Amino acid sequence: MDLIVIDGSHGEGGGQIVRTAVGLAAYLGVACRVERIRRGRPNPGLRPQHVAGVKALLKVCRGEAEGLRVGSETLTFRPGPLRGGTIEIDVGTAGSIGLVLQTLMLPAAKVPCTLRLLIRGGTDVAWAPPVGYLQRVTLPVLAQMGYRGELQLRKRGYYPKGDGEVLFKAEGRTLRGLQLLEAGKLQRVEGISHASQGLAERRVAERQREAAMARLRREGIEAHIRIEYVSTASTGSGLELWAVFERTVLGANALGERGKRAEEVGNEAAEGLLRQISSGAALDEWMADQILPFLAVADGDSLVSFPRPTGHFTTNLWLMEQLPVGKTFRWWEDGGRGMLEVRSL
């Protein structure tokens, strides 16, 4: 099997290149080698969450990997045939479940029978998509392409101990291209303000909610945000918001941390959602890069709108062109938002 060599230091140069490259390689059934992994970072090479994600993928595709260890700057990945069934994955401590799922969700669209993944780790951690975002934004948007996936949050896990748990189920389906230029009319804004049980006395979840609702109300938007206090291994909090439109869903979130007031968390999440809404795009800035591998393998052409490109978007777009997906990609700016066209060769 010929190897496709990928420069892991290109562009944004983070772990996203590894996650996307091996996930797409498993879907396509091609081998790849990622070199110079995270070369420009203070701690270059694979981190524990990257190793956990690839190990999980190896269980799904029955493949082989060389250099799969923390600190390794070169990873060679050779996929085998994808399979369904039930697989348990322990990311370890608060390693992000969301990032592991970013590695697995595309290959899961090609399994021959139902795939069930029981994953333990961090559900709400910094610099990673929270499980709630994948539930309420990623999966509903992908469903428009024919994707069949469900995600159930069984237990929240905050940094540093994690101990969260989710169940992800998917069925293999042929994906179709997506035509999504306009969001349509805003129907509702919803959210969850969550926190560890030990923060209830300080009303952390209520204060997060009140701050977010006040900020949104100043823009004429009424939000319905429910409160959730849960027992967790580590103390933490967060606020998830999603805006449901006629044709799409946009999301934003913020996490609490030591020294950060609950009101700051609420304002941060609300400002993030308002930024997505005001862009006039049909995808939010996080979905713009997450959806690229799915558009790359879908049957038919796609045309979508998104906010101005992020480093993750341009890096993922470059990566799509390194693998044999049989598509061309073109993006341009139109009225302050981005437009992406994906066409079959």
Side-chain angles (χ1 to χ4, degrees), residues 209-264:
R209 177 178 67 176
E210 290 160 7
M213 291 178 67
R215 178 66 188 94
L216 293 170
R217 195 173 291 124
R218 289 203 296 273
E219 303 300 325
I221 298 174
E222 290 295 330
H224 301 279
I225 305 172
R226 66 180 175 88
I227 298 295
E228 179 187 274
Y229 283 106
V230 289
S231 175
T232 56
S234 292
T235 301
S237 75
L239 178 62
E240 300 168 14
L241 295 172
W242 56 95
V244 180
F245 289 81
E246 286 180 290
R247 303 183 186 92
T248 191
V249 186
L250 308 178
N253 65 85
L255 289 175
E257 58 184 75
R258 187 178 297 275
K260 186 176 183 180
R261 299 179 68 246
E263 289 76 12
E264 292 179 61

Side-chain angles (χ1 to χ4, degrees), residues 195-207 227 229-230:
S196 301
Q197 191 64 53
L199 299 176
E201 187 175 338
R202 292 163 51 192
R203 299 185 67 252
V204 167
E206 287 87 353
R207 288 161 52 205
I227 298 295
Y229 283 106
V230 289

Side-chain angles (χ1 to χ4, degrees), residues 117-130:
L117 301 174
L118 183 64
I119 312 176
R120 299 180 184 90
T123 61
D124 300 86
V125 297
W127 312 111

